Amino acid sequence: MQYHSLSAFLDSSAAALAKGPVAMIFVEDQVEVDSAIRHHLDTGFASVLVLMPPAFSLAPDVADRVERIGYDIAAGDSFVEAVNRVIEAAPGLWLYYCFNAEYLFFPFCETRTVGEMLAFHAEERRDAMLTYVVDLYAGDLDLHRDAVSLEDAHLDRSGYYALARNDPDNHNHPRERQLDFFGGLRWRYEEHIPAERRKIDRISLFRARPGLELRPDHTFNDEEYNTYACPWHHNLTAAVASFRTAKALKRNPGSTFDIHTFKWHNSAPFEWHSRQLLDLGLMEPGQWF
């Protein structure tokens, strides 16, 4: 189905928002739009909402399987506002959001669906899941000038770290079970990244409820949603493999001429498999086996 605006979709969205989990993919440009949609359809989402400019095209094999909604991030439309409007319209549903050229991975995703994972997560009394945004980049920037290549994708196998997340409302004491995570291209090229955009943690998967709001820094107004685990044991986490930072660094005139390759001694080919991300510690299976 196609809708000319988010309002038009929400006015007639009973079927698409009747059952979760629901994925929202925000299309910022025309790079790897179809592959991102196919990946999330294969992951097992009940509905996939694609918010994109009307001028962009979709491949025929995905166009009939998604809810296409007119939305233009480049023209000023806010992904935060869109997520919050869907939250308001879909109380109780598990939601997910990402951008084009991003791909969700979770433990054992090759043989289990995202719905199965979230059912287990909910049994552990969790309403949100921490995801790490793992930067992907093309190995050869001479061949792939926009830094995007599914066949030549690489990631950093080390260089990730976490810092305490302080609470300004409590004398800057560290928040319980919350950390700010860093690494990847945002760490290696931090001189080109604004400080407020250097974190790689995102609460990409969450259960909607009345009053819940996403904030621009990818956290929520309910602090329990921003925790990485419950008080009793480790919980599941997931990863979003993303070309988004690499694209931006190569498109930005202030950084593109300083970067001839993203590869370094800790680069490794991305295997497009959850086992690699588990082995690197970039997601956590928790008690799910």
Side-chain angles (χ1 to χ4, degrees), residues 151-174:
E151 296 77 17
D152 187 32
H154 288 68
L155 81 169
D156 288 2
R157 60 188 176 191
S158 66
Y160 302 94
Y161 66 97
L163 298 176
R165 181 178 293 169
N166 296 327
D167 184 355
D169 298 324
N170 187 24
H171 309 289
N172 274 330
H173 288 303

Side-chain angles (χ1 to χ4, degrees), residues 46-142:
S47 298
V48 175
L49 317 182
V50 182
L51 295 94
M52 62 188 298
F56 289 5
S57 61
L58 285 179
D61 66 303
V62 299
D64 294 335
R65 301 175 62 193
V66 302
E67 308 295 325
R68 176 171 178 163
I69 301 166
Y71 211 74
D72 194 342
I73 298 291
D77 289 340
S78 167
F79 79 89
V80 175
E81 179 184 349
V83 170
N84 286 332
R85 292 183 66 187
V86 175
I87 288 173
E88 186 178 4
L93 288 190
W94 279 95
L95 303 177
Y96 163 81
Y97 73 96
C98 71
F99 302 87
N100 59 297
E102 293 191 332
Y103 309 86
L104 175 67
F105 285 83
F106 53 86
F108 324 119
C109 60
E110 291 76 22
T111 57
R112 303 180 190 179
T113 68
V114 65
E116 291 172 323
M117 177 192 65
L118 292 175
F120 176 84
H121 200 54
E123 288 175 358
E124 294 200 315
R125 292 184 288 172
R126 297 289 289 169
D127 290 322
M129 182 178 292
L130 174 69
T131 59
Y132 304 109
V133 180
V134 179
D135 289 325
L136 300 181
Y137 46 89
D140 189 338
L141 296 185
D142 291 328

Side-chain angles (χ1 to χ4, degrees), residues 1 4 14 36 40 65 70 117 126 130 134 151 153 165 180 183 185 192 196 201 222 224 230 235 250 254 264 281 288:
M1 292 287 293
H4 71 271
H40 291 94
R65 301 175 62 193
M117 177 192 65
R126 297 289 289 169
L130 174 69
V134 179
E151 296 77 17
R165 181 178 293 169
D180 290 330
L185 300 182
H192 298 294
E196 65 274 13
D201 49 275
D222 183 335
E224 185 62 29
C230 67
N235 291 113
K250 284 307 294 178
W264 64 320
W288 199 39

Side-chain angles (χ1 to χ4, degrees), residues 14 24 31 38 99 101 145 242 248 256 260:
M24 294 172 275
V31 176
R38 291 187 191 103
F99 302 87
R145 295 188 178 275
S242 172
T256 185
H260 304 290

